Amino acid sequence: MNGPFPRKAVVAVVAGGGVLVLTIVASLMTDASGRWDGGGASPQILQQLRIPRLILGIVVGGQLAIAGLLLQTLFRNPLAEPYILGVSSGASLGNVLWTLFLAPLIPWRFGMEISGALGALLAVLIVIRAGRAIGLGDSPSFILVGVAVGAGLHALAALFLVQADPNRIRDALVWLMGSLAYKSWLTVWACLPVLAAALAISMFYSRGLDLLGLGEESAHDLGLDVPRMRMLTIGVAVVLAGSATAAVGVVGFVGLMAPNLIRLHFSISHRWMIPLSAIAGGTLVPMADLLSRYLAPGREIPIGILTSIAGSAFFLIILRSGRVTGRH
Amino acid sequence: MVENLRCGFFPGRPVIHSLSLEAAGGEIIGLVGPNGSGKSTLLRCLTNWLPATSGKILIDGREVGAMPSRDRARAIGMLVQNPEHPVPMPVREFISLGYFSRRGWFGGESPLDRDAVDRTMQRFGLDLKAGVNCRVDQLSGGEFQRVRLAQIHLQDPSILLLDEPTSFLDWPFQSMLIRFVREKARQEKRLVVMAIHDLNIAMALCDRVLMLRDGSVLADGPPKDVLREDLLQKVFGHPPAIHTISHFPGRFFSTPGLAEGEGS
């Protein structure tokens, strides 16, 4: 075989690229109710609805994929995902509170996005604060704190939901499961700089990420400033996951799946893992969006449901392969 | 130089109690003592992974805790005893991470670097082709130990700390390790500090042995003076069986290259 790019991997990249191109074309030629119009849509529809929807899917997928990869490396666990630090629960709580209590009072178009972002921020602040207060310094403890805080916030969101007026719940529920419907360019412009900055930062520090993969003590011994790298990694991952969640709601499993799809074919350093995972994530989300339009014409299943169904099956497949868990 | 060092995992419960030590490049120092006597803790404290709670660690006059990480890694490097499970990555990639403290954040591998990695891999008996295709998580314990030795060889710090370096290695590779340690100390004038359970290796390889008990140095000197029956009994609570070759029943196996000047 030839180096880190054996033929199987080249085939995988070509196939993946093909899927992305097909998804892009099909997305642009399918209307919101899942009808194929073969390119007959008016330029206005394309420009105002389908193109921003597609690009937002690619951007959010890329964001979730990089966030997942960063946390998988930091925790040296291929099953870590971007929401592990409580980001999604925080965002959900923010969204639920907005929909049930504030939305009827304030006619604000981006209330969902902003309340989601604030909720995600709140969750992360609680996680960091709690982690410090308990005195847990190492990375694995952050997962435990994140899981605990996430469970608490999630329960709170559920508590508000069950008490609420059933007519109002639907908006919140659809949001909680993630959707790209009715998104404008503004959301795209809010997310794109975050993705660009995160790509630049994580590529620059890619060797530090490679070192973190050795375990924190070995990384320290080889000259990495571990506490700083840890904070940087968590910071970038949380901003990525938080902004993605604020933009489109909770899209589960993409951050878990995308890096592992790459890992199934390659063993490569982060310099390659980061862009390839981003592309994989950027393919998965528009694919799920396209599928949601076809599966339930006119009703649109939230994409989070589709990614989670695919993700749970995928989870079992990667566990069985043993490749990412290092078991043979 | 180590001065009144005190460190441990929990505040108020130091593992190492006011330990002082001075050493120079070219020396091979063995740390001997029962399990839990503080050998590994001392080594981890020297790299500042466990910051000292009091006392000082100075390398060429600079305090380890105050050094920037990459400067520190050029001054002192360590082969840990039980490394964490690494994420899957190709063997070659893993080894060349040893260069981090010299190469920095970005910057690719120069042809010179690539050559050095090749030579290092050959030196440790690692197949170059397999290094690209094989992942570190697929290696056996002994192979992984050699890969880690290759990595620290590339890191090339002035002070090498080896925590039980012979574990997992079969005897041909044990003699390779012995050659490696001697070469580092004798030719490259590095200071080697190794925690070692094998008293034969400590006796033959080390210039100086520190016997630790409960985080303090009980004896410090040439191996002949420290590895004495009475001291060993005092520290381990059990006398070792000491044989001279002529008393050994049947055949006696020793690692080739262990006696200095022999076979290397």
Side-chain angles (χ1 to χ4, degrees):
Chain A
M1 302 292 263
N2 2 344
F5 301 110
R7 191 179 313 148
K8 190 181 82 169
V10 175
V11 171
V13 165
V14 172
V19 172
L20 177 61
V21 171
L22 280 179
T23 307
I24 289 174
V25 172
S27 289
L28 294 179
M29 294 188 175
T30 304
D31 70 9
S33 55
R35 265 199 321 268
W36 176 268
D37 60 19
S42 74
Q44 216 177 353
I45 286 185
L46 278 177
Q47 211 190 335
Q48 295 303 320
L49 294 172
R50 293 192 198 164
I51 296 178
R53 182 174 183 154
L54 170 68
I55 294 180
L56 186 63
I58 295 175
V59 170
V60 164
Q63 285 186 314
L64 292 173
I66 297 177
L69 173 65
L70 292 179
L71 295 177
Q72 286 165 14
T73 299
L74 180 67
F75 299 129
R76 290 181 313 106
N77 186 338
L79 303 183
E81 64 148 353
Y83 301 132
I84 207 161
L85 292 176
V87 173
S88 62
S89 309
S92 305
L93 181 61
N95 290 330
V96 168
L97 291 179
W98 169 264
T99 327
L100 299 184
F101 301 112
L102 293 174
L105 307 175
I106 313 170
W108 205 13
R109 208 176 139 212
F110 293 102
M112 275 295 214
E113 282 87 345
I114 290 167
S115 60
L118 289 177
L121 188 71
L122 174 78
V124 171
L125 289 179
I126 296 176
V127 169
I128 291 175
R129 192 84 198 99
R132 290 240 170 97
I134 300 168
L136 303 170
D138 57 339
S139 298
S141 336
F142 270 106
I143 301 189
L144 300 177
V145 177
V147 168
V149 172
L153 295 178
H154 191 81
L156 263 183
L159 181 68
F160 283 118
L161 270 182
V162 292
Q163 309 268 342
D165 172 3
N167 296 322
R168 290 218 191 121
I169 296 182
R170 194 177 179 277
D171 277 355
L173 273 183
V174 168
W175 187 278
L176 291 185
M177 292 161 195
S179 172
L180 290 174
Y182 314 115
K183 298 294 170 187
S184 70
W185 280 106
L186 203 65
T187 319
V188 176
W189 293 129
C191 288
L192 200 56
V194 176
L195 175 65
L199 256 176
I201 294 173
S202 50
M203 290 290 281
F204 183 80
Y205 287 107
S206 67
R207 198 161 279 155
L209 293 167
D210 289 340
L211 279 165
L212 274 185
L214 305 184
E216 295 191 348
E217 185 176 0
S218 301
H220 166 89
D221 290 346
L222 288 170
L224 185 73
D225 185 341
V226 171
R228 189 183 290 178
M229 191 70 208
R230 188 197 293 144
M231 281 332 284
L232 184 87
T233 310
I234 291 184
V236 172
V238 156
V239 170
L240 281 171
S243 67
T245 311
V248 303
V250 180
V251 181
F253 279 101
V254 170
L256 171 86
M257 268 191 289
N260 282 313
L261 271 176
I262 304 301
R263 262 190 219 115
L264 280 176
H265 302 286
F266 300 92
S267 323
I268 42 174
S269 61
H270 282 81
R271 208 171 346 156
W272 295 103
M273 273 304 282
I274 294 164
L276 287 179
S277 304
I279 293 170
T283 309
L284 286 173
V285 173
M287 255 172 79
D289 180 45
L290 188 63
L291 207 61
S292 80
R293 280 185 261 170
Y294 275 115
L295 284 181
R299 295 197 27 216
E300 300 208 25
I301 307 171
I303 51 174
I305 293 183
L306 292 178
T307 55
S308 294
I309 291 173
S312 63
F314 181 75
F315 206 89
L316 298 174
I317 292 170
I318 53 173
L319 279 175
R320 184 171 166 269
S321 80
R323 178 162 173 99
V324 283
T325 47
R327 180 176 56 84
H328 298 278
Chain B
M1 193 182 83
V2 176
E3 217 173 71
N4 291 325
L5 181 67
R6 178 191 285 264
C7 78
F9 296 92
F10 302 104
R13 271 194 281 161
V15 177
I16 301 289
H17 306 273
S18 65
L19 186 146
S20 296
L21 169 71
E22 200 161 336
E27 256 186 304
I28 304 175
I29 300 181
L31 300 179
V32 172
N35 293 331
S37 59
K39 302 185 293 294
S40 300
T41 307
L42 173 60
L43 294 179
R44 285 172 151 176
C45 200
L46 294 179
T47 62
N48 202 41
W49 174 244
L50 276 180
T53 36
S54 66
K56 269 186 196 162
I57 303 165
L58 300 171
I59 302 175
D60 291 333
R62 292 174 75 190
E63 199 156 343
V64 169
M67 283 174 149
S69 305
R70 280 199 276 151
D71 287 6
R72 189 205 59 234
R74 283 196 294 266
I76 191 161
M78 166 140 165
L79 188 80
V80 295
Q81 184 180 11
N82 296 312
E84 292 171 275
H85 224 58
V87 299
M89 68 172 91
V91 168
R92 207 193 148 84
E93 191 78 40
F94 182 94
I95 293 175
S96 59
L97 283 176
Y99 260 143
F100 176 72
S101 58
R102 300 180 185 277
R103 202 167 47 178
W105 285 109
F106 221 60
E109 233 184 8
S110 73
L112 219 66
D113 291 346
R114 214 166 301 140
D115 206 44
V117 178
D118 282 351
R119 270 183 289 120
T120 305
M121 288 183 70
Q122 275 161 347
R123 176 194 177 133
F124 289 93
L126 299 162
D127 184 0
L128 291 182
K129 238 169 117 191
V132 177
N133 294 319
C134 187
R135 301 194 322 262
V136 277
D137 55 311
Q138 297 168 322
L139 300 175
S140 73
E143 287 167 327
F144 186 46
Q145 185 80 342
R146 272 149 55 204
V147 165
R148 296 197 308 132
L149 275 170
Q151 188 186 54
I152 204 171
H153 177 66
L154 272 186
Q155 183 187 355
D156 196 24
S158 319
I159 303 175
L160 269 122
L161 310 177
L162 308 174
D163 198 351
E164 290 297 337
T166 51
S167 45
F168 307 114
L169 294 178
D170 60 15
W171 60 263
F173 285 110
Q174 282 196 17
S175 39
M176 187 204 64
L177 174 89
I178 288 162
R179 273 205 309 279
F180 169 75
V181 168
R182 274 211 185 105
E183 193 183 304
K184 285 281 168 201
R186 305 285 181 256
Q187 284 161 31
E188 300 173 25
K189 297 294 170 210
R190 306 286 185 236
L191 167 64
V192 182
V193 182
M194 52 202 277
I196 190 105
H197 274 303
D198 188 326
L199 298 182
N200 288 316
I201 293 183
M203 185 65 108
L205 184 61
C206 299
D207 302 315
R208 180 175 162 193
V209 170
L210 260 67
M211 193 174 282
L212 294 186
R213 189 175 66 172
D214 299 332
S216 323
V217 179
L218 198 80
D220 175 0
K224 273 203 308 284
D225 299 345
V226 176
L227 301 176
R228 285 189 339 238
E229 210 166 342
D230 55 328
L231 273 176
L232 289 169
Q233 164 141 29
K234 192 169 161 197
V235 170
F236 288 89
H238 194 279
I242 297 181
H243 303 282
T244 51
I245 299 288
S246 56
H247 292 129
F248 208 83
R251 278 191 285 180
F252 179 85
F253 300 101
S254 131
T255 310
L258 191 54
E260 194 144 10
E262 171 220 334
S264 53

